[in-house]
Amino acid sequence: MATSTEKESLAFLLNSSVRFLNSAFERRISDAGLGLTPGEARALLTVAAIDGSKQADIATRIGLEPMTVCTYLDRLESLDLVERRPNPDDRRSKCIYLTQTSSDLLLAVREEVGLLIDQAASGFDEGDFEKFHALLTIMQKNLQTAVSDKNQQNPL
């Protein structure tokens, strides 16, 4: 079993790695000349992952306020990369969908992400990468459960 110091070190390492990953992503997207800000690129990737979702769900997945995501979506919509459609389950909200126009740009953004992950995982062999991915997936689910449980204990 890991010691308290090892657990603290892991938490610091994860947090630090996420900050470095975000900084590298922002620099790579900015330098790629794609015509998108890093925030817009994140929003586009998120819409692609959960196409047809509500703006609030997209914001939750990115970890930003809905109004911030709204600004990104407005820009993506003005570029004809996404479209808002009425939500069939709730007439007060809209669902966000990719457009046909988005495919080439989305491919370019994914290529940048792929190059970034290749750089970050340099020195991993295929088994290391698969195991790391599996372990992070488990950790993410555990943390989502912890957050969900905490929110249920302390509703507003």
Side-chain angles (χ1 to χ4, degrees):
M1 189 65 167
T3 66
S4 176
T5 302
E6 290 169 331
K7 289 177 184 176
E8 288 173 18
S9 177
L10 176 63
F12 176 80
L13 187 59
L14 282 169
N15 187 43
S16 179
S17 295
V18 168
R19 284 187 288 116
F20 283 127
L21 181 64
N22 283 331
S23 293
F25 173 83
E26 290 173 4
R27 185 174 47 253
R28 183 172 281 283
I29 294 300
S30 294
D31 292 349
L34 300 174
L36 294 178
T37 67
E40 292 163 355
R42 277 190 187 95
L44 185 65
L45 288 168
T46 305
V47 172
I50 55 174
D51 199 33
S53 294
K54 295 184 295 184
Q55 178 178 308
D57 296 334
I58 294 166
T60 297
R61 184 163 176 146
I62 297 174
L64 295 173
E65 292 296 320
M67 287 308 298
T68 302
V69 173
C70 181
T71 302
Y72 296 151
L73 295 175
D74 287 345
R75 171 89 162 102
L76 295 174
E77 190 173 36
S78 76
L79 295 171
D80 193 34
L81 300 171
V82 301
E83 65 181 355
R84 291 174 166 106
R85 297 183 203 158
N87 182 345
D89 299 325
D90 180 357
R91 64 185 175 98
R92 296 168 297 165
S93 70
K94 304 256 189 231
C95 295
I96 314 300
Y97 294 88
L98 293 176
T99 64
Q100 290 289 96
T101 310
S102 69
S103 60
D104 289 342
L105 190 54
L106 185 58
L107 186 64
V109 171
R110 284 179 168 152
E111 184 175 323
E112 294 299 326
V113 171
L115 292 169
L116 175 59
I117 295 302
D118 287 347
Q119 182 181 12
S122 177
F124 283 28
D125 66 30
E126 190 63 32
D128 291 339
F129 188 84
E130 290 173 8
K131 184 69 173 177
F132 184 66
H133 187 278
L135 291 171
L136 282 178
T137 300
I138 292 168
M139 185 176 279
Q140 181 184 43
K141 287 179 183 175
N142 292 343
L143 292 169
Q144 285 173 332
T145 299
V147 169
S148 176
D149 290 349
K150 180 71 172 171
N151 288 341
Q152 289 176 6
Q153 292 173 2
N154 298 319
L156 293 178

